[in-house]
Amino acid sequence: MSPPRTWTRRALLGATGALLPLPWMASLVPRSSRAADEPRRRYVFYVAPNGMIPSLWRPAGDGPDWTPSELLEPLAPLKDQLTVLTGLSNVAAVRPEAIMDHGACTGSFLSCTNVSSPRIGAPGVGRSVDQILGDHLGGATPFRTLVLGSEAPVRCNEVICPRLSNVSWADATTPVGKDIHPSSVFERLFGASADPATADLARARRWEDRRSVLDAVLDQTAELRLRLSAEDRRTLDQYQSGLREVERRIDLSRTGTCEDPDGGAPALSNLDTREHVRAMHELMVLALQCDATRVVSYMIGNGQSPRPFDFLGYPDGHHAYTHQGSDVPLRAICRWEVEQAADLLQRLASVATPSGTLLDETYVLFGSEMGHGADHQPTDLPLVLAGGSAWGFVQGRHRVFANGTPLADLHLALLQSAGVEVDTFGDDGAHALLDLT
Amino acid sequence: MEDLLQVAVPVAARLPVEAIASGYDNQATALVTSDLLVERLETVAGELAALATETVHVPAPTARTSVASLDLPFGAPWEVPASPEPFWLVWGSVPGVHVAFDAPAEGTYVVSATLFGVQRFTVLAPRVTLVVDGTPLPALALTSTPTNPETATWTVRLTAGSHEVGLGLAEAEVTPPDLTAEDVVHEGSWSAFGIRDLGITGPLDPAEGQPSELRARLLACEAPDASLEARRTCATSVLRSLAGRAWRRPVTNPEVERLSRFVDVAEGDGRGWDAGLRDAFSAVLLSPWFLYRVEGMGSGRTSDGLRALTPHELATRLSFLAWGAPPDDALRACADEGTLGTPEGACSLRTQLDRLLDDGRATALAHAFGRQWIGLSSEASTGDEATNALLEGVLLHEDAPLAALLRPTLAGLPDDGRPGGVLALPEVLAATSVGARSSVAKRGVLVAARLVCDPPAAPPADVPALEQTVAANPLAQVEAHLADPVCGSCHAGFDPYGLVLEAYGPDGASRSAWPDGTPLPDAVDLPDGTTVSGVDGLVDALLAGEAFSTCVTEQLATWAWGAPRSATVVRQIAEAARRSGGSSRDLLHALVDHPTFGFVAVDPEPTP
C-alpha cells in the first residue's frame, strides 16, 4: 500500500482545468485504509432505467462458455469478473397489469414490492434491498447508504411520479432521495464545502457544537410533534430521523473517515452528462475506498427519461428512442450506458486492497428494470452481477434461469451474502438465487 | 433562508429537489423530508450561522475597476502595434490615463497594469508612474516591448471613498546628450506604452473585528467587550428578534432562554460570545419552526374540524400567498398588535394584501404561482421575458381582468397579433412539445387540467402502439385516438383543445399547416360540443362561461392554502370575485375575504 500522499488545494485546483482521463481525486488516499482488516462487504446497485434491447443484449452460449453480445461488448475486458443473469423478471411487483408502466417498473426495481400491495404500510414493507443492506452494514460508516443519481428527479404531480426517479425506498411510499450534485456528494464525504466562500466556515465547526445544536433542535421537534395531527407527525418523524442520522454521522466523524481535502472542492457544477457520470463514478469509488459507506445505489438516469443524448448525436431521451421504429439511436444509447457501467467496474478493479481489488470486495449489480423499454414489461431483465470474488463466488458465467424467475430472489441472495437474516424479500422472493457467500 | 437573512445564499445546488403535488411545490402532501435533505440543511444552517456572526469579511469585499479613459496629449498618429484596443500612454503624460475608483473600505489595494512598449531611444529608459489623487508614487522602469508585455503592480493604501488613479510616463533620468529639450519632446513622443488592463483590487486587509454587513444587520447590539450581564442582555434581544422572524411568531421566554444557553455555555468554556451566538443561530435555522410552515397552533375553538389561525399564522399565510416569503416588519406588527384581519384600517387583510401586491416582491405570485399554473417551472430566471411579463401584467396589476390571461389586450397588454395569451407563449408551447414535435395531448391536457379544471384521469399505462404506427401527422393520430374506445374515452376530453393549439409550432411560431403539408383543420369540436375556429375562437369559448374564472380560482386557492379547497369554497370565492368586477385583484380580495381564509383544518381531537 502506498503511503498517503499530500493532497493540497493547489494540486487539486490545478488538476481540474481540463477534462482529464484520470480521476481527479486519485491522490486522495483514504485515512481509514486500516490495513489487514477483514475484507469489507460492499454493494453497488447501478441502475440504467428504460430497458435494453434483449436481442442485442443476450450473449451466445451459457455457463463458462459464452460470448459477449453487441451491447455487452464494453464489459468484455471484465468477462471473468462478472456473471450475466438471464431469465429474471419482476412481474409480481408491478401487477396488476393496469399499472404496469414506467414508474411501477423503475420504482420497484430494488424493492420488488407492488405499490398496491395489501401489505403496504406494514413495517419494513417496500424497503429496498440497498437500504436493508445499509441497515445491516452501515452502523460503523458515516453513511449507511449513499443514494446517487445523474438526472434530476422528475417534477410532476402524479402519485406514480416519484417512482420514476427513485429506486431506493425507506418504505413503499417514502423515497430515500438521491443526491444528484457531485459538489454536494463531495461536501458530504469530506465535510468541506465545495464553495470556497464557505469552505473555511464549514471546517471551523466543531462536532461538539453541532451535537449540542442538534440536541436542542431535537427537543424542540419532539415538543412540536406532540401538538400536530397524525399526518403532520409523520412528516416531523422523517425530520427527526434525519436529525438523528446527522447526529450519528457527527459522532462517527470524530474518528475520521475520508481524508480532509484541505480546502475547496474541484469545480463540480455545470457538468455535462458525461462529466457528471464520470464525477459520480469517482465519488462512488472514493466513498467505498475510504469506507464512508458500504452500499451505493446509483441511477444513471430516470425512468421515462427525457434527458437528451446530444453528445451521441441524438437530441431526445432514452425513453423516446425506445418507441421509435429505428433502433439505431437506442443501440448507441444502451451501449453508452453499458460503457459507463464498465467504466465504474474498471475503476473499482484498479483500486488495490489488502485482499485484492475493491471490485473483488464489492458486489455490483448492473441492470435495467425492463427487458425492452418499448414493452414496459419487467421481464427478461438485462442484469449483470460483477465483483465479489473475495467471497469465493465464481464469476465469468452466463447463467440462464427459467423464465419468470423472480428478481427478488437475486436481491435475497445479496442480502444473505451480507449476513442479513431473511428468507424472503419483496413480494415474491423466497429462494436465494445464487450462493454468494 | 434568503428572505430571513436578505443575502443571496448559494444553496440550490446543495439541497435536493423538492417534490410537487397538485401541480405546485408548496403543497403539504408533497412534503417528504429525506435524510439527505436534513443532512444538507444541517450543513447549510451551520454555515449561514457562521456567516451571520462573523466579524471579519470572508472573503474580503473586492472592488475592481479597469481603465476607462484615454488621454493622448500629443495627438496621432502613433506607431501602434496590432493589439486589441489598448490605451496609449505617452512621454510626458503624467497622468496619461486615469480612472475614478471607489474604494469600499479603508485598506490596502493592489493596482496592476499590463503594458507593452514602443521605444525609439532605449537610452531614455522609460519609467511608469502611478499617480494616486495627484501624488505620484516612485516610478518603475520597464523593459516591455510590443510583443513582450509586462505587468507592473503597486501596493497602495486607500481610504474609503472615491479616488483618482492614473498612470503616466515619468521623465527620463538621463537626458540623451545629443538631444535638445525640444528633441526630447519630439523624439520622446516616439516612446509610448500601450495599456491593456489597469485594475485595482482590494482591500486585502479589512480591519480586524469589523462586523460583516450581515452581522451588522442582524445584530441590534454588539456586546463582546461589555459586562457579562450586558452581553447576556444583548444576546437575549438578538436571539428573540432573529428567532421571531425566522419562526414567524413571537418567541416564548423559555425558548429564548434555551437559545441564550448556547451563549452562556460558550462564554463559560472560553469559546466566547460570538461562538455561542453562532450555535444559537444554527439552532434557529435548523428548527422545524423555521423549516416548516406550522399552522393551527392557536387555542381558537375547534368546530367542524376548523381552527382559527393565530395572527402570526395568518400573516404568514398572507405573505406566502403574495410573496412566497415570510412577513415583513409591517405585517408582523399587525400580527403583534392583534389587529390583522380587522374589517377596516391599515391592518385589514385587503389593505395588507394590496400593500404586499404593490411591492416588488409580489413577482413571486406571478412566478411561483403563475408559472406553475401553466405547467412551467417556478424558476422565473430561466424563463422567457414574455411569460413573466404577461403573468405579472395580469396577476399583479390592479385593474387587469382575469380574462386578460387569455386575451392580454383586455389589460392593455400587447398580444403581438398572436391570440391565446398564456396559450400563445413560446415557453408554454415548447413545454407542451416533445422535441421538435408539438404534442396535441400535452397541450390539450394543459387546457383541460389548468384552464377549465377538468383534468383527465391518469393514463392507464404508457401505450406506445399508436405513436409507433401512426407516423403521419397529429390529425391522423388524434383521429386514431378518438376512434379507439379505450383511448378515446379520455382523449376526447382534451385532444380537441390541443388540436386548436396546433396553430402554433413547437417553437411557438404560427402556422397554418403541419410540416408534412397537411392543412390544420378549419374548425374543431370542443369537448362540450362547441365548434370553434382558430385559437381566437377557443379563447372566446373558454371565456364564454364561468369555467375559466372558476378554474383560476381553484388553482389560486390551492396555492394559497397549500392544499386543494372544496368545490363549494372555490365556487363562493369565484362568484364573489365576479360580482366585484372579475379582475385579478378582485379574485385575490375575494380569496382573503372568504371566511375560511383565516382557518385551518385540524384533527378534531389530536391524540398525544
Side-chain angles (χ1 to χ4, degrees):
Chain A
M1 169 132 299
S2 60
R5 285 156 60 186
T6 310
W7 183 92
T8 65
R9 181 184 195 143
R10 178 175 298 275
L12 184 60
L13 294 176
T16 55
L19 255 186
L20 301 175
L22 286 171
W24 39 253
M25 287 181 282
S27 63
L28 285 174
V29 170
R31 181 189 294 163
S32 69
S33 34
R34 308 170 191 110
D37 279 3
E38 152 97 352
R40 300 180 176 117
R41 287 183 188 268
R42 304 177 172 95
Y43 297 82
V44 174
F45 297 87
Y46 196 111
V47 186
N50 301 300
M52 294 285 165
I53 305 170
S55 59
L56 301 180
W57 169 277
R58 184 172 176 154
D62 60 13
D65 302 315
W66 60 284
T67 314
S69 57
E70 176 182 323
L71 288 181
L72 286 169
E73 203 264 335
L75 289 166
L78 295 149
K79 186 168 176 273
D80 294 340
Q81 296 177 70
L82 56 82
T83 295
V84 180
L85 306 167
T86 293
L88 271 56
S89 82
N90 195 21
V91 177
V94 293
R95 52 167 209 247
E97 309 263 326
I99 57 159
M100 195 175 283
D101 65 0
H102 278 277
C105 292
T106 312
S108 64
F109 186 58
L110 295 188
S111 73
C112 299
T113 302
N114 191 336
V115 69
S116 57
S117 159
R119 299 187 301 131
I120 292 296
V125 169
R127 195 164 177 83
S128 53
V129 58
D130 60 316
Q131 294 303 303
I132 300 174
L133 285 167
D135 296 340
H136 191 74
L137 299 171
T141 60
F143 299 90
R144 289 182 193 277
T145 65
L146 207 51
V147 179
L148 307 174
S150 278
E151 186 178 5
V154 180
R155 305 188 71 174
C156 51
N157 58 355
E158 294 160 35
V159 179
I160 205 77
C161 208
R163 304 183 74 80
L164 290 170
S165 314
N166 294 283
V167 291
S168 295
W169 297 85
D171 60 43
T173 53
T174 313
V176 170
K178 62 185 178 185
D179 198 337
I180 56 157
H181 301 295
S183 57
S184 158
V185 181
F186 181 92
E187 270 184 54
R188 296 165 64 203
L189 288 178
F190 297 108
S193 171
D195 178 357
T198 52
D200 295 336
L201 299 175
R203 282 139 43 81
R205 297 180 69 206
R206 305 186 318 159
W207 67 264
E208 299 96 321
D209 306 342
R210 297 172 64 194
R211 273 301 303 262
S212 65
V213 167
L214 281 168
D215 285 346
V217 174
L218 274 164
D219 284 351
Q220 197 187 25
T221 307
E223 286 163 21
L224 174 59
R225 185 181 177 281
L226 290 178
R227 302 169 63 185
L228 295 176
S229 68
E231 196 181 325
D232 289 335
R233 249 178 226 178
R234 206 175 103 80
T235 300
L236 219 55
D237 286 346
Q238 293 171 1
Y239 190 59
Q240 246 173 343
S241 91
L243 290 171
R244 294 220 174 85
E245 192 57 25
V246 175
E247 201 168 37
R248 192 185 71 86
R249 191 162 306 134
I250 292 171
D251 289 348
L252 283 168
S253 68
R254 285 157 55 190
T255 54
T257 50
C258 295
E259 181 85 357
D260 187 326
D262 184 30
L268 287 175
S269 51
N270 298 323
L271 305 179
D272 73 18
T273 301
R274 286 171 299 180
E275 294 164 337
H276 195 285
V277 170
R278 190 168 305 153
M280 284 299 191
H281 285 176
E282 291 171 4
L283 289 160
M284 278 186 243
V285 172
L286 206 64
L288 293 169
Q289 193 182 358
C290 71
D291 208 26
T293 189
R294 301 200 185 157
V295 185
V296 176
S297 80
Y298 174 62
M299 296 179 82
I300 196 169
N302 289 334
Q304 220 165 347
S305 167
R307 181 184 56 196
F309 282 88
D310 292 323
F311 56 89
L312 296 177
Y314 302 114
D316 270 340
H318 185 150
H319 173 245
Y321 291 113
T322 62
H323 296 308
Q324 283 187 359
S326 161
D327 72 355
V328 174
L330 189 59
R331 284 163 94 143
I333 289 168
C334 290
R335 186 176 165 109
W336 180 81
E337 289 171 349
V338 178
E339 283 167 4
Q340 302 318 300
D343 177 71
L344 178 72
L345 296 181
Q346 295 279 16
R347 287 172 192 273
L348 289 170
S350 68
V351 176
T353 65
S355 65
T357 71
L358 204 48
L359 182 59
D360 296 333
E361 299 176 8
T362 308
Y363 276 121
V364 182
L365 177 62
F366 164 63
S368 195
E369 82 287 33
M370 300 175 187
H372 192 297
D375 304 332
H376 305 107
Q377 298 294 320
T379 54
D380 199 10
L381 298 173
L383 296 167
V384 169
L385 181 68
S389 52
W391 322 119
F393 181 65
V394 180
Q395 291 284 19
R397 311 294 170 95
H398 174 211
R399 299 284 301 267
V400 182
F401 298 92
N403 256 339
T405 302
L407 170 67
D409 284 349
L410 173 58
H411 296 336
L412 184 59
L414 289 165
L415 288 171
Q416 290 182 354
S417 77
V420 183
E421 290 180 2
V422 285
D423 43 25
T424 62
F425 175 76
D427 284 348
D428 58 348
H431 310 281
L433 188 71
L434 304 162
D435 181 8
L436 300 173
T437 46
Chain B
M1 287 189 179
E2 297 194 14
D3 292 295
L4 175 70
L5 304 177
Q6 299 192 356
V7 59
V9 185
V11 294
R14 303 170 64 200
L15 296 178
V17 176
E18 303 156 60
I20 288 188
S22 302
Y24 301 97
D25 60 10
N26 71 343
Q27 301 293 292
T29 52
L31 205 55
V32 171
T33 311
S34 67
D35 286 0
L36 174 61
L37 176 64
V38 182
E39 185 191 331
R40 303 308 288 147
L41 285 171
E42 195 266 343
T43 302
V44 171
E47 288 173 9
L48 285 176
L51 266 179
T53 53
E54 68 183 345
T55 51
V56 179
H57 296 274
V58 178
T62 292
R64 187 172 170 79
T65 190
S66 298
V67 69
S69 67
L70 173 62
D71 187 359
L72 281 178
F74 288 91
W78 301 101
E79 207 171 70
V80 180
S83 165
E85 299 181 353
F87 291 101
W88 288 97
L89 196 64
V90 297
W91 182 259
S93 62
V94 178
V97 171
H98 46 85
V99 295
F101 175 68
D102 203 19
E106 176 171 351
T108 305
Y109 290 77
V110 172
V111 182
S112 67
T114 302
L115 305 117
F116 53 93
V118 180
Q119 297 174 42
R120 172 145 177 196
F121 298 105
T122 51
V123 68
L124 288 177
R127 298 181 309 146
V128 176
T129 302
L130 180 72
V131 182
V132 178
D133 298 326
T135 309
L137 274 74
L140 298 178
L142 295 179
T143 57
S144 57
T145 64
T147 52
N148 186 22
E150 68 184 296
T151 300
T153 59
W154 294 264
T155 302
V156 296
R157 188 90 195 152
L158 296 178
T159 55
S162 51
H163 297 274
E164 189 171 83
V165 178
L167 277 182
L169 281 190
E171 285 192 34
E173 282 174 340
V174 181
T175 304
D178 55 340
L179 292 181
T180 63
E182 199 175 312
D183 286 338
V184 170
V185 173
H186 177 74
E187 298 294 340
S189 64
W190 281 87
S191 294
F193 279 93
I195 305 176
R196 282 226 184 92
D197 183 33
L198 169 61
I200 306 170
T201 307
L204 304 180
D205 52 351
E208 279 294 317
Q210 188 177 329
S212 66
E213 196 194 338
L214 185 57
R215 179 183 173 120
R217 203 164 50 223
L218 290 179
L219 272 59
C221 52
E222 281 281 356
D225 298 326
S227 70
L228 190 63
E229 193 186 340
R231 290 205 298 273
R232 193 162 207 288
T233 308
C234 174
T236 306
S237 87
V238 166
L239 291 171
R240 185 184 294 277
S241 153
L242 182 84
R245 271 191 290 158
W247 301 347
R248 303 173 292 275
R249 62 173 174 81
V251 184
T252 63
N253 287 332
E255 284 173 329
V256 176
E257 266 305 304
R258 185 151 48 175
L259 290 171
S260 300
R261 214 172 298 149
F262 285 107
V263 181
D264 296 341
V265 168
E267 294 238 55
D269 67 16
R271 285 181 301 130
W273 197 79
D274 280 7
L277 206 59
R278 188 188 64 211
D279 291 348
F281 274 26
S282 301
V284 168
L285 296 177
L286 200 54
S287 163
W289 283 98
F290 176 55
L291 300 167
Y292 299 94
R293 273 174 61 188
V294 184
E295 292 184 336
M297 290 294 109
S299 53
R301 195 181 300 165
T302 304
S303 66
D304 300 339
L306 290 181
R307 174 178 290 168
L309 297 178
T310 66
H312 290 90
E313 289 169 356
L314 184 59
T316 300
R317 184 177 276 183
L318 194 68
S319 87
F320 271 90
L321 164 62
W323 289 353
D328 64 351
D329 290 342
L331 184 53
R332 216 167 39 242
C334 288
D336 288 343
E337 293 164 10
T339 52
L340 183 64
T342 46
E344 301 293 331
C347 287
S348 76
L349 286 176
R350 274 192 183 215
T351 309
Q352 285 297 317
L353 178 65
D354 285 339
R355 187 180 65 80
L356 299 182
L357 290 173
D358 293 338
D359 184 285
R361 279 172 274 187
T363 48
L365 174 69
H367 301 157
F369 165 72
R371 291 179 56 85
Q372 293 191 69
W373 167 55
I374 48 177
L376 303 172
S377 122
S378 61
E379 272 300 312
S381 56
T382 56
D384 274 1
E385 188 46 42
T387 310
N388 300 337
L390 176 57
L391 291 170
E392 289 169 25
V394 180
L395 292 175
L396 303 183
H397 195 273
E398 201 165 340
D399 305 320
L402 273 186
L405 288 165
L406 296 178
R407 189 160 279 155
T409 48
L410 292 174
L413 297 166
D415 72 352
D416 301 328
R418 293 161 49 85
V422 294
L423 295 175
L425 290 168
E427 200 181 353
V428 172
L429 295 164
T432 52
S433 298
V434 180
R437 184 172 55 84
S438 57
S439 166
V440 171
K442 282 190 175 202
R443 291 178 178 184
V445 168
L446 176 70
V447 175
R450 295 309 178 87
L451 269 55
V452 297
C453 292
D454 183 19
D462 178 315
V463 185
L466 276 178
E467 286 181 48
Q468 281 176 327
T469 52
V470 181
N473 64 59
L475 189 59
Q477 190 175 325
V478 169
E479 282 166 358
H481 270 150
L482 299 186
D484 182 309
V486 177
C487 305
S489 62
C490 279
H491 276 262
F494 55 84
D495 271 359
Y497 301 120
L499 209 48
V500 178
L501 293 173
E502 285 294 293
Y504 298 117
D507 54 357
S510 302
R511 62 184 179 186
S512 56
W514 278 293
D516 70 350
T518 312
L520 298 177
D522 288 331
V524 173
D525 293 333
L526 296 185
D528 68 357
T530 321
T531 301
V532 301
S533 173
V535 177
D536 214 31
L538 174 62
V539 169
D540 280 339
L542 289 172
L543 295 179
E546 294 177 346
F548 175 70
S549 62
T550 304
C551 182
V552 175
T553 305
E554 178 178 331
Q555 299 291 325
L556 191 64
T558 300
W559 164 258
W561 265 273
R565 291 296 87 189
S566 74
T568 312
V569 169
V570 169
R571 199 182 60 246
Q572 287 166 349
I573 297 171
E575 279 169 6
R578 283 190 291 264
R579 274 197 307 275
S580 314
S583 73
S584 60
R585 190 62 60 96
D586 292 327
L587 171 57
L588 285 156
H589 284 164
L591 197 101
V592 300
D593 284 346
H594 193 267
T596 62
F597 186 74
F599 287 81
V600 60
V602 292
D603 276 357
E605 285 178 32
T607 42

